[in-house]
Amino acid sequence: MFSGGLRLTDLNDYITPGQECIKPVPVKKSGRSDGSHIQMDTTGEYFEVTKDGASTKLEAATISLNDCLACSGCVTSAETVLITMQSHTELLAVLDENRTLRDMGKGDEAKQVVVTVAPQSRASLALKYQMSTQTVAKRMTHVLKSMGVDYVLDSAFGRDITLVESAREFVRRYRESEGKVGDQLPVLASWCPGWVCYAEKTHAEVLPWMSTTRSPQQMMGAIVKDYMAKRLNTSPDRIYHVAIMMCYDKKLEASRDDFYNDVYKTRDVDCVVTTGEFDRLLRETHTSFANAPEAQLDSLTNSKDCVYASAGTSAGGGLEYIMSYAARELFGMDVSPDLVAAVGKGEAQHPLLQVKLVRSQSDHREITLLDPHTKQPLLQFAAVYGFRHLQNLVRKLKSKRSVYHYVEVAACPSACSNGGGQLQPEDPSPGAKKQWVAETERTYARDAKTRPEDNVRQFIYEWFGPHGLDSSDAQRVLHTQFHGVVATANPLGVSW
């Protein structure tokens, strides 16, 4: 089905599935031979034909997302995965079923449909349709609600909770390790499912360094299926949660068993639709996005301005926010996320912040916070984007040559603005693609900046009670775990 095993030579940031990607298929055997054989008809369907001429249609084997995640044979850039469970057609099917139930007078059996939209997806659509991200958000809200969606939310809210909890996790691990790189440090960002899948299947030894805080997508999953379900006085399985995301690998993340509710038999995120799939949905439903009316997004708080950004790149702003938070909590230094971001981009300078482009590559940046008295490093952070640079990072981690306290990781070069599910320029040339990604990144950064802790403080206490993020419920709901996969060699995977 796929080409030979994974190649780590001549990397171009695209990792193909390996030949070892197999799924055991149970075969029912009668224990005796009756002379039956297999035939294929003119439509390509397979039938088992018995000796007396009776035929039985054979079921086609399929590979689901769970099969892909359970397999130890490949590391995948998910454009090549045969995804059969999640797409815009699944969303339309659920909306059609809801309409049918309501037409039959069974509206109480219809599911509440909640859609959360990633800021990176809004930026990509804004660039294509030449409008602001605010306008994109409002038109997406109107289009989705006109199709039957009940709530449309900005996933930046989940990102803010992820930022706050990730910063708390980093400070805790820093203090427990006394700032020494080793068992608990560096903390490796785990928001990128492509990176997580790669680490689990090929470098399980780095998993103890992974941040256990949920990604923004899965944080929204917890919010929708836990907090919103309680507010709506319904059970989690009566909500159908769709995430519009920049990356196909987000479908794999949503399918992880760690985000499955065994009690209610439901996932935190039921379906992931990429930016490109949403745009395809517009075309297939003959919706003119350029002329669509606008509607206000729904809000989980009293805020009316539901579209905002965090300081930093489209990877989510983890490096900038966590460095700022850690500087304040650990050393009493006031270094804002916006300042860290500006220095990191070369737009500003600060005597206590040093930036280095490793091998002159913007996709591998080191940012160091210096002691104001000794000018020695206090915090050493890095941003590593793209598999070429990930390989170098993993080598340093394995050889214990890494000096970083925190690493923001993204599998895609230029981070999430360049996600595999994003819209592409009409000109396929590398230069045009590079310019398109850069402009998408600038569009993403234009949203108004806010302080994540201010956005979510009241909400956190409403959700988890007076102990907030320190409560046992918060620690259980907001964190996840990772699983190294033991590879099983497949002799059929040998390249002859």
Side-chain angles (χ1 to χ4, degrees):
M1 181 170 58
F2 299 114
S3 60
L6 173 66
R7 309 295 184 190
L8 292 182
T9 59
D10 192 27
L11 283 176
N12 63 355
D13 293 299
Y14 175 84
I15 294 189
T16 180
Q19 180 72 27
E20 294 149 345
C21 179
I22 60 171
K23 175 188 175 184
V25 180
V27 179
K28 296 181 180 179
K29 295 184 178 180
S30 61
R32 61 182 177 83
S33 175
D34 58 2
S36 62
H37 61 281
I38 306 297
Q39 285 186 348
M40 183 176 68
D41 66 8
T42 56
T43 66
E45 300 286 353
Y46 288 89
F47 292 83
E48 181 181 11
V49 182
T50 63
K51 193 173 183 180
D52 59 8
S55 64
T56 303
K57 183 179 177 181
L58 297 177
E59 181 182 356
T62 59
I63 298 178
S64 71
L65 294 175
N66 282 337
D67 297 323
C68 179
L69 286 174
C71 170
S72 62
C74 71
V75 178
T76 175
S77 180
E79 296 92 323
T80 59
V81 177
L82 303 179
I83 295 172
T84 60
M85 289 168 51
Q86 301 185 43
S87 68
H88 64 290
T89 58
E90 293 298 314
L91 168 59
L92 292 176
V94 170
L95 295 175
D96 285 342
E97 183 180 358
N98 277 353
R99 278 191 290 270
T100 300
L101 289 170
R102 290 177 179 124
D103 290 344
M104 296 171 60
K106 300 180 179 180
D108 57 330
E109 297 181 20
K111 291 189 175 183
Q112 296 273 347
V113 180
V114 179
V115 174
T116 55
V117 184
Q120 296 89 341
S121 293
R122 287 199 308 268
S124 189
L125 289 162
L127 181 58
K128 174 178 177 177
Y129 290 100
Q130 292 297 295
M131 57 183 68
S132 70
T133 54
Q134 293 274 353
T135 301
V136 167
K138 293 177 180 179
R139 294 190 182 186
M140 289 181 77
T141 302
H142 179 271
V143 168
L144 289 165
K145 289 195 172 184
S146 67
M147 293 179 178
V149 171
D150 297 289
Y151 300 94
V152 180
L153 302 170
D154 181 8
S155 72
F157 190 80
R159 177 203 61 209
D160 284 351
I161 297 180
T162 295
L163 286 171
V164 171
E165 182 60 16
S166 294
R168 284 163 44 90
E169 178 189 4
F170 173 80
V171 167
R172 174 182 59 78
R173 288 168 62 167
Y174 185 96
R175 284 172 171 158
E176 289 177 355
S177 63
E178 297 180 344
K180 298 177 181 177
V181 174
D183 293 338
Q184 297 210 54
L185 297 177
V187 174
L188 305 177
S190 59
W191 302 3
C192 172
W195 153 242
V196 170
C197 187
Y198 171 65
E200 286 184 323
K201 293 183 177 182
T202 65
H203 299 292
E205 58 269 40
V206 308
L207 296 181
W209 290 310
M210 289 282 200
S211 168
T212 62
T213 303
R214 283 184 179 227
S215 72
Q217 171 181 288
Q218 296 309 131
M219 194 66 75
M220 287 303 299
I223 291 170
V224 170
K225 291 298 182 83
D226 187 69
Y227 176 84
M228 279 193 71
K230 293 173 182 175
R231 290 290 296 269
L232 295 173
N233 195 27
T234 189
S235 59
D237 59 315
R238 302 308 306 161
I239 297 177
Y240 188 77
H241 179 204
V242 180
I244 297 179
M245 289 284 150
M246 74 302 291
C247 177
Y248 281 98
D249 286 337
K250 286 295 184 180
K251 298 174 186 277
L252 300 178
E253 181 181 34
S255 185
R256 291 175 68 93
D257 288 338
D258 303 282
F259 304 125
Y260 182 78
N261 187 322
D262 288 314
V263 176
Y264 290 98
K265 309 300 181 186
T266 186
R267 298 193 181 280
D268 292 344
V269 179
D270 297 288
C271 179
V272 174
V273 175
T274 66
T275 315
E277 288 173 334
F278 176 77
D279 198 48
R280 195 176 310 135
L281 179 150
L282 295 175
R283 295 195 302 271
E284 292 177 0
T285 57
H286 307 289
T287 301
S288 173
F289 196 67
N291 300 309
E294 299 179 5
Q296 190 68 36
L297 273 79
D298 296 291
S299 175
L300 292 165
T301 64
N302 294 324
S303 172
K304 293 184 179 179
D305 184 11
C306 302
V307 176
Y308 48 86
S310 60
T313 71
S314 59
L319 183 152
E320 292 79 8
Y321 182 80
I322 293 172
M323 175 168 275
S324 173
Y325 181 91
R328 183 173 65 251
E329 292 293 316
L330 296 172
F331 308 111
M333 298 173 62
D334 185 14
V335 180
S336 72
D338 293 287
L339 176 60
V340 178
V343 172
K345 295 177 183 178
E347 298 172 353
Q349 292 184 339
H350 191 278
L352 300 181
L353 289 172
Q354 289 184 345
V355 179
K356 176 184 176 182
L357 301 183
V358 178
R359 297 178 182 175
S360 301
Q361 296 289 321
S362 61
D363 277 347
H364 189 173
R365 291 178 295 120
E366 297 177 346
I367 301 182
T368 302
L369 177 70
L370 302 178
D371 185 298
H373 305 294
T374 67
K375 298 300 187 291
Q376 294 300 306
L378 291 175
L379 294 174
Q380 294 180 271
F381 282 29
V384 178
Y385 307 149
F387 273 109
R388 286 177 177 167
H389 301 298
L390 286 183
Q391 287 295 307
N392 292 330
L393 172 65
V394 169
R395 291 191 193 101
K396 285 185 177 182
L397 292 170
K398 285 185 172 182
S399 62
K400 302 186 185 302
R401 291 184 293 114
S402 173
V403 298
Y404 304 137
H405 296 107
Y406 179 87
V407 186
E408 181 177 80
V409 185
C412 293
S414 303
C416 300
S417 286
N418 190 31
Q422 294 284 68
L423 301 177
Q424 302 297 317
E426 294 182 3
D427 183 352
S429 67
K433 174 65 182 295
K434 184 176 181 179
Q435 183 178 354
W436 180 272
V437 171
E439 186 55 39
T440 304
E441 185 76 19
R442 285 191 287 270
T443 303
Y444 169 86
R446 289 191 189 112
D447 284 340
K449 307 296 189 298
T450 60
R451 289 170 55 90
E453 60 269 36
D454 293 340
N455 295 336
V456 303
R457 183 178 292 109
Q458 180 181 352
F459 177 86
I460 289 295
Y461 289 114
E462 288 180 4
W463 191 3
F464 296 115
H467 296 292
L469 293 176
D470 291 323
S471 70
S472 59
D473 282 346
Q475 293 304 299
R476 173 182 55 82
V477 171
L478 305 187
H479 289 261
T480 185
Q481 55 189 336
F482 306 99
H483 318 276
V485 180
V486 178
T488 303
N490 174 16
L492 298 178
V494 177
S495 297
W496 299 96

PDB file of all heavy atoms in Angstrom, residues 119-120 123 133 308-314 338 341 345 347 417 438-449:
ATOM      1  N   PRO A 119      -7.499  30.067  15.427  1.00  0.00           N
ATOM      2  CA  PRO A 119      -7.052  31.354  14.867  1.00  0.00           C
ATOM      3  C   PRO A 119      -6.228  31.183  13.593  1.00  0.00           C
ATOM      4  O   PRO A 119      -6.298  32.020  12.692  1.00  0.00           O
ATOM      5  CB  PRO A 119      -6.205  31.952  16.002  1.00  0.00           C
ATOM      6  CG  PRO A 119      -6.652  31.263  17.241  1.00  0.00           C
ATOM      7  CD  PRO A 119      -7.047  29.886  16.825  1.00  0.00           C
ATOM      8  N   GLN A 120      -5.447  30.101  13.500  1.00  0.00           N
ATOM      9  CA  GLN A 120      -4.634  29.876  12.303  1.00  0.00           C
ATOM     10  C   GLN A 120      -5.513  29.637  11.082  1.00  0.00           C
ATOM     11  O   GLN A 120      -5.175  30.052   9.969  1.00  0.00           O
ATOM     12  CB  GLN A 120      -3.703  28.685  12.521  1.00  0.00           C
ATOM     13  CG  GLN A 120      -2.665  28.897  13.615  1.00  0.00           C
ATOM     14  CD  GLN A 120      -3.165  28.489  15.000  1.00  0.00           C
ATOM     15  OE1 GLN A 120      -4.368  28.376  15.226  1.00  0.00           O
ATOM     16  NE2 GLN A 120      -2.238  28.269  15.921  1.00  0.00           N
ATOM     17  N   ALA A 123      -6.888  32.966   9.929  1.00  0.00           N
ATOM     18  CA  ALA A 123      -5.867  33.746   9.223  1.00  0.00           C
ATOM     19  C   ALA A 123      -5.724  33.278   7.780  1.00  0.00           C
ATOM     20  O   ALA A 123      -5.575  34.087   6.860  1.00  0.00           O
ATOM     21  CB  ALA A 123      -4.530  33.638   9.954  1.00  0.00           C
ATOM     22  N   THR A 133      -9.535  39.050  10.060  1.00  0.00           N
ATOM     23  CA  THR A 133      -9.883  37.829  10.768  1.00  0.00           C
ATOM     24  C   THR A 133     -11.180  37.997  11.569  1.00  0.00           C
ATOM     25  O   THR A 133     -11.912  37.026  11.765  1.00  0.00           O
ATOM     26  CB  THR A 133      -8.745  37.417  11.717  1.00  0.00           C
ATOM     27  OG1 THR A 133      -8.416  38.520  12.580  1.00  0.00           O
ATOM     28  CG2 THR A 133      -7.509  37.011  10.937  1.00  0.00           C
ATOM     29  N   TYR A 308      -9.086  37.078  19.433  1.00  0.00           N
ATOM     30  CA  TYR A 308      -7.876  37.748  19.892  1.00  0.00           C
ATOM     31  C   TYR A 308      -6.713  36.774  19.769  1.00  0.00           C
ATOM     32  O   TYR A 308      -6.887  35.570  19.597  1.00  0.00           O
ATOM     33  CB  TYR A 308      -8.020  38.234  21.333  1.00  0.00           C
ATOM     34  CG  TYR A 308      -8.567  37.210  22.294  1.00  0.00           C
ATOM     35  CD1 TYR A 308      -7.713  36.306  22.927  1.00  0.00           C
ATOM     36  CD2 TYR A 308      -9.928  37.136  22.563  1.00  0.00           C
ATOM     37  CE1 TYR A 308      -8.196  35.368  23.800  1.00  0.00           C
ATOM     38  CE2 TYR A 308     -10.425  36.184  23.436  1.00  0.00           C
ATOM     39  CZ  TYR A 308      -9.555  35.306  24.057  1.00  0.00           C
ATOM     40  OH  TYR A 308     -10.049  34.360  24.917  1.00  0.00           O
ATOM     41  N   ALA A 309      -5.522  37.297  19.864  1.00  0.00           N
ATOM     42  CA  ALA A 309      -4.312  36.501  19.671  1.00  0.00           C
ATOM     43  C   ALA A 309      -3.453  36.544  20.916  1.00  0.00           C
ATOM     44  O   ALA A 309      -3.653  37.359  21.816  1.00  0.00           O
ATOM     45  CB  ALA A 309      -3.519  37.017  18.464  1.00  0.00           C
ATOM     46  N   SER A 310      -2.473  35.630  20.938  1.00  0.00           N
ATOM     47  CA  SER A 310      -1.442  35.673  21.972  1.00  0.00           C
ATOM     48  C   SER A 310      -0.150  36.123  21.327  1.00  0.00           C
ATOM     49  O   SER A 310       0.044  35.969  20.121  1.00  0.00           O
ATOM     50  CB  SER A 310      -1.258  34.282  22.591  1.00  0.00           C
ATOM     51  OG  SER A 310      -0.872  33.355  21.594  1.00  0.00           O
ATOM     52  N   ALA A 311       0.735  36.685  22.122  1.00  0.00           N
ATOM     53  CA  ALA A 311       2.027  37.105  21.589  1.00  0.00           C
ATOM     54  C   ALA A 311       2.804  35.880  21.125  1.00  0.00           C
ATOM     55  O   ALA A 311       2.714  34.813  21.721  1.00  0.00           O
ATOM     56  CB  ALA A 311       2.814  37.852  22.659  1.00  0.00           C
ATOM     57  N   GLY A 312       3.543  36.041  20.027  1.00  0.00           N
ATOM     58  CA  GLY A 312       4.335  34.926  19.538  1.00  0.00           C
ATOM     59  C   GLY A 312       3.915  34.476  18.157  1.00  0.00           C
ATOM     60  O   GLY A 312       3.161  35.163  17.458  1.00  0.00           O
ATOM     61  N   THR A 313       4.386  33.313  17.759  1.00  0.00           N
ATOM     62  CA  THR A 313       4.130  32.803  16.416  1.00  0.00           C
ATOM     63  C   THR A 313       2.844  31.997  16.386  1.00  0.00           C
ATOM     64  O   THR A 313       2.177  31.787  17.407  1.00  0.00           O
ATOM     65  CB  THR A 313       5.287  31.910  15.947  1.00  0.00           C
ATOM     66  OG1 THR A 313       5.249  30.680  16.698  1.00  0.00           O
ATOM     67  CG2 THR A 313       6.634  32.589  16.169  1.00  0.00           C
ATOM     68  N   SER A 314       2.531  31.485  15.185  1.00  0.00           N
ATOM     69  CA  SER A 314       1.336  30.667  15.018  1.00  0.00           C
ATOM     70  C   SER A 314       1.458  29.311  15.695  1.00  0.00           C
ATOM     71  O   SER A 314       0.498  28.536  15.709  1.00  0.00           O
ATOM     72  CB  SER A 314       1.040  30.472  13.527  1.00  0.00           C
ATOM     73  OG  SER A 314       2.129  29.843  12.873  1.00  0.00           O
ATOM     74  N   ASP A 338       4.887  40.091  24.909  1.00  0.00           N
ATOM     75  CA  ASP A 338       5.026  40.911  23.698  1.00  0.00           C
ATOM     76  C   ASP A 338       6.484  41.315  23.482  1.00  0.00           C
ATOM     77  O   ASP A 338       6.954  41.348  22.334  1.00  0.00           O
ATOM     78  CB  ASP A 338       4.147  42.165  23.798  1.00  0.00           C
ATOM     79  CG  ASP A 338       2.673  41.839  23.793  1.00  0.00           C
ATOM     80  OD1 ASP A 338       2.162  41.467  22.724  1.00  0.00           O
ATOM     81  OD2 ASP A 338       2.028  41.934  24.854  1.00  0.00           O
ATOM     82  N   ALA A 341       8.372  38.294  22.268  1.00  0.00           N
ATOM     83  CA  ALA A 341       8.025  38.052  20.863  1.00  0.00           C
ATOM     84  C   ALA A 341       8.732  39.037  19.948  1.00  0.00           C
ATOM     85  O   ALA A 341       9.268  38.653  18.890  1.00  0.00           O
ATOM     86  CB  ALA A 341       6.515  38.144  20.676  1.00  0.00           C
ATOM     87  N   LYS A 345      11.612  38.155  17.089  1.00  0.00           N
ATOM     88  CA  LYS A 345      11.433  38.432  15.662  1.00  0.00           C
ATOM     89  C   LYS A 345      12.431  39.453  15.132  1.00  0.00           C
ATOM     90  O   LYS A 345      12.407  39.786  13.937  1.00  0.00           O
ATOM     91  CB  LYS A 345      10.012  38.952  15.411  1.00  0.00           C
ATOM     92  CG  LYS A 345       8.917  37.932  15.695  1.00  0.00           C
ATOM     93  CD  LYS A 345       7.537  38.555  15.500  1.00  0.00           C
ATOM     94  CE  LYS A 345       6.438  37.569  15.838  1.00  0.00           C
ATOM     95  NZ  LYS A 345       5.077  38.190  15.700  1.00  0.00           N
ATOM     96  N   GLU A 347      12.455  42.575  16.025  1.00  0.00           N
ATOM     97  CA  GLU A 347      11.778  43.865  15.943  1.00  0.00           C
ATOM     98  C   GLU A 347      12.119  44.785  17.115  1.00  0.00           C
ATOM     99  O   GLU A 347      11.721  45.948  17.130  1.00  0.00           O
ATOM    100  CB  GLU A 347      10.258  43.640  15.880  1.00  0.00           C
ATOM    101  CG  GLU A 347       9.819  42.845  14.657  1.00  0.00           C
ATOM    102  CD  GLU A 347       8.351  42.467  14.728  1.00  0.00           C
ATOM    103  OE1 GLU A 347       7.734  42.711  15.791  1.00  0.00           O
ATOM    104  OE2 GLU A 347       7.829  41.928  13.731  1.00  0.00           O
ATOM    105  N   SER A 417       0.973  28.212  10.768  1.00  0.00           N
ATOM    106  CA  SER A 417       0.454  28.912   9.586  1.00  0.00           C
ATOM    107  C   SER A 417       0.671  28.074   8.337  1.00  0.00           C
ATOM    108  O   SER A 417      -0.020  28.246   7.330  1.00  0.00           O
ATOM    109  CB  SER A 417       1.148  30.268   9.424  1.00  0.00           C
ATOM    110  OG  SER A 417       0.681  31.182  10.388  1.00  0.00           O
ATOM    111  N   ALA A 438       4.262  33.315   4.893  1.00  0.00           N
ATOM    112  CA  ALA A 438       4.696  34.493   5.651  1.00  0.00           C
ATOM    113  C   ALA A 438       3.556  35.480   5.839  1.00  0.00           C
ATOM    114  O   ALA A 438       3.388  36.064   6.916  1.00  0.00           O
ATOM    115  CB  ALA A 438       5.875  35.164   4.952  1.00  0.00           C
ATOM    116  N   GLU A 439       2.752  35.671   4.796  1.00  0.00           N
ATOM    117  CA  GLU A 439       1.626  36.599   4.896  1.00  0.00           C
ATOM    118  C   GLU A 439       0.537  36.041   5.810  1.00  0.00           C
ATOM    119  O   GLU A 439      -0.118  36.783   6.549  1.00  0.00           O
ATOM    120  CB  GLU A 439       1.058  36.890   3.511  1.00  0.00           C
ATOM    121  CG  GLU A 439      -0.028  37.966   3.494  1.00  0.00           C
ATOM    122  CD  GLU A 439       0.426  39.285   4.115  1.00  0.00           C
ATOM    123  OE1 GLU A 439       1.602  39.680   3.891  1.00  0.00           O
ATOM    124  OE2 GLU A 439      -0.387  39.915   4.829  1.00  0.00           O
ATOM    125  N   THR A 440       0.340  34.720   5.787  1.00  0.00           N
ATOM    126  CA  THR A 440      -0.604  34.098   6.713  1.00  0.00           C
ATOM    127  C   THR A 440      -0.164  34.321   8.154  1.00  0.00           C
ATOM    128  O   THR A 440      -0.975  34.617   9.033  1.00  0.00           O
ATOM    129  CB  THR A 440      -0.725  32.586   6.438  1.00  0.00           C
ATOM    130  OG1 THR A 440      -1.101  32.366   5.077  1.00  0.00           O
ATOM    131  CG2 THR A 440      -1.776  31.943   7.340  1.00  0.00           C
ATOM    132  N   GLU A 441       1.140  34.205   8.387  1.00  0.00           N
ATOM    133  CA  GLU A 441       1.690  34.436   9.727  1.00  0.00           C
ATOM    134  C   GLU A 441       1.456  35.881  10.165  1.00  0.00           C
ATOM    135  O   GLU A 441       1.074  36.147  11.319  1.00  0.00           O
ATOM    136  CB  GLU A 441       3.184  34.111   9.749  1.00  0.00           C
ATOM    137  CG  GLU A 441       3.842  34.199  11.108  1.00  0.00           C
ATOM    138  CD  GLU A 441       3.522  33.017  12.005  1.00  0.00           C
ATOM    139  OE1 GLU A 441       3.094  31.971  11.482  1.00  0.00           O
ATOM    140  OE2 GLU A 441       3.674  33.155  13.227  1.00  0.00           O
ATOM    141  N   ARG A 442       1.664  36.819   9.258  1.00  0.00           N
ATOM    142  CA  ARG A 442       1.430  38.237   9.597  1.00  0.00           C
ATOM    143  C   ARG A 442      -0.050  38.486   9.861  1.00  0.00           C
ATOM    144  O   ARG A 442      -0.410  39.251  10.765  1.00  0.00           O
ATOM    145  CB  ARG A 442       1.938  39.132   8.465  1.00  0.00           C
ATOM    146  CG  ARG A 442       3.459  39.255   8.417  1.00  0.00           C
ATOM    147  CD  ARG A 442       3.898  40.345   7.461  1.00  0.00           C
ATOM    148  NE  ARG A 442       3.708  39.955   6.067  1.00  0.00           N
ATOM    149  CZ  ARG A 442       4.621  39.321   5.337  1.00  0.00           C
ATOM    150  NH1 ARG A 442       5.790  39.002   5.868  1.00  0.00           N
ATOM    151  NH2 ARG A 442       4.371  39.011   4.068  1.00  0.00           N
ATOM    152  N   THR A 443      -0.908  37.852   9.089  1.00  0.00           N
ATOM    153  CA  THR A 443      -2.355  38.004   9.299  1.00  0.00           C
ATOM    154  C   THR A 443      -2.750  37.460  10.664  1.00  0.00           C
ATOM    155  O   THR A 443      -3.553  38.076  11.389  1.00  0.00           O
ATOM    156  CB  THR A 443      -3.128  37.268   8.192  1.00  0.00           C
ATOM    157  OG1 THR A 443      -2.729  37.773   6.911  1.00  0.00           O
ATOM    158  CG2 THR A 443      -4.627  37.451   8.362  1.00  0.00           C
ATOM    159  N   TYR A 444      -2.188  36.324  11.015  1.00  0.00           N
ATOM    160  CA  TYR A 444      -2.461  35.723  12.328  1.00  0.00           C
ATOM    161  C   TYR A 444      -2.068  36.670  13.460  1.00  0.00           C
ATOM    162  O   TYR A 444      -2.770  36.780  14.471  1.00  0.00           O
ATOM    163  CB  TYR A 444      -1.683  34.406  12.440  1.00  0.00           C
ATOM    164  CG  TYR A 444      -1.647  33.805  13.820  1.00  0.00           C
ATOM    165  CD1 TYR A 444      -2.668  32.984  14.269  1.00  0.00           C
ATOM    166  CD2 TYR A 444      -0.575  34.056  14.690  1.00  0.00           C
ATOM    167  CE1 TYR A 444      -2.639  32.429  15.538  1.00  0.00           C
ATOM    168  CE2 TYR A 444      -0.534  33.504  15.956  1.00  0.00           C
ATOM    169  CZ  TYR A 444      -1.566  32.693  16.381  1.00  0.00           C
ATOM    170  OH  TYR A 444      -1.530  32.146  17.637  1.00  0.00           O
ATOM    171  N   ALA A 445      -0.951  37.359  13.285  1.00  0.00           N
ATOM    172  CA  ALA A 445      -0.418  38.208  14.354  1.00  0.00           C
ATOM    173  C   ALA A 445      -1.161  39.530  14.502  1.00  0.00           C
ATOM    174  O   ALA A 445      -0.918  40.267  15.468  1.00  0.00           O
ATOM    175  CB  ALA A 445       1.063  38.479  14.100  1.00  0.00           C
ATOM    176  N   ARG A 446      -2.053  39.855  13.563  1.00  0.00           N
ATOM    177  CA  ARG A 446      -2.726  41.167  13.614  1.00  0.00           C
ATOM    178  C   ARG A 446      -3.855  41.216  14.633  1.00  0.00           C
ATOM    179  O   ARG A 446      -4.315  42.307  14.982  1.00  0.00           O
ATOM    180  CB  ARG A 446      -3.268  41.524  12.231  1.00  0.00           C
ATOM    181  CG  ARG A 446      -2.190  41.864  11.215  1.00  0.00           C
ATOM    182  CD  ARG A 446      -2.758  42.457   9.949  1.00  0.00           C
ATOM    183  NE  ARG A 446      -1.729  42.575   8.932  1.00  0.00           N
ATOM    184  CZ  ARG A 446      -1.690  41.882   7.815  1.00  0.00           C
ATOM    185  NH1 ARG A 446      -2.661  41.008   7.560  1.00  0.00           N
ATOM    186  NH2 ARG A 446      -0.715  42.020   6.945  1.00  0.00           N
ATOM    187  N   ASP A 447      -4.359  40.072  15.090  1.00  0.00           N
ATOM    188  CA  ASP A 447      -5.436  40.094  16.075  1.00  0.00           C
ATOM    189  C   ASP A 447      -4.978  40.797  17.352  1.00  0.00           C
ATOM    190  O   ASP A 447      -3.801  40.740  17.716  1.00  0.00           O
ATOM    191  CB  ASP A 447      -5.885  38.672  16.418  1.00  0.00           C
ATOM    192  CG  ASP A 447      -6.737  38.047  15.320  1.00  0.00           C
ATOM    193  OD1 ASP A 447      -7.285  38.807  14.504  1.00  0.00           O
ATOM    194  OD2 ASP A 447      -6.835  36.810  15.284  1.00  0.00           O
ATOM    195  N   ALA A 448      -5.911  41.422  18.038  1.00  0.00           N
ATOM    196  CA  ALA A 448      -5.600  42.141  19.271  1.00  0.00           C
ATOM    197  C   ALA A 448      -5.031  41.192  20.320  1.00  0.00           C
ATOM    198  O   ALA A 448      -5.485  40.049  20.458  1.00  0.00           O
ATOM    199  CB  ALA A 448      -6.854  42.823  19.807  1.00  0.00           C
ATOM    200  N   LYS A 449      -4.012  41.644  21.039  1.00  0.00           N
ATOM    201  CA  LYS A 449      -3.370  40.829  22.073  1.00  0.00           C
ATOM    202  C   LYS A 449      -4.023  41.081  23.425  1.00  0.00           C
ATOM    203  O   LYS A 449      -4.399  42.200  23.755  1.00  0.00           O
ATOM    204  CB  LYS A 449      -1.868  41.153  22.161  1.00  0.00           C
ATOM    205  CG  LYS A 449      -1.116  41.071  20.839  1.00  0.00           C
ATOM    206  CD  LYS A 449      -1.099  39.681  20.272  1.00  0.00           C
ATOM    207  CE  LYS A 449      -0.161  39.570  19.074  1.00  0.00           C
ATOM    208  NZ  LYS A 449      -0.550  40.424  17.946  1.00  0.00           N
TER     209      LYS A 449
END
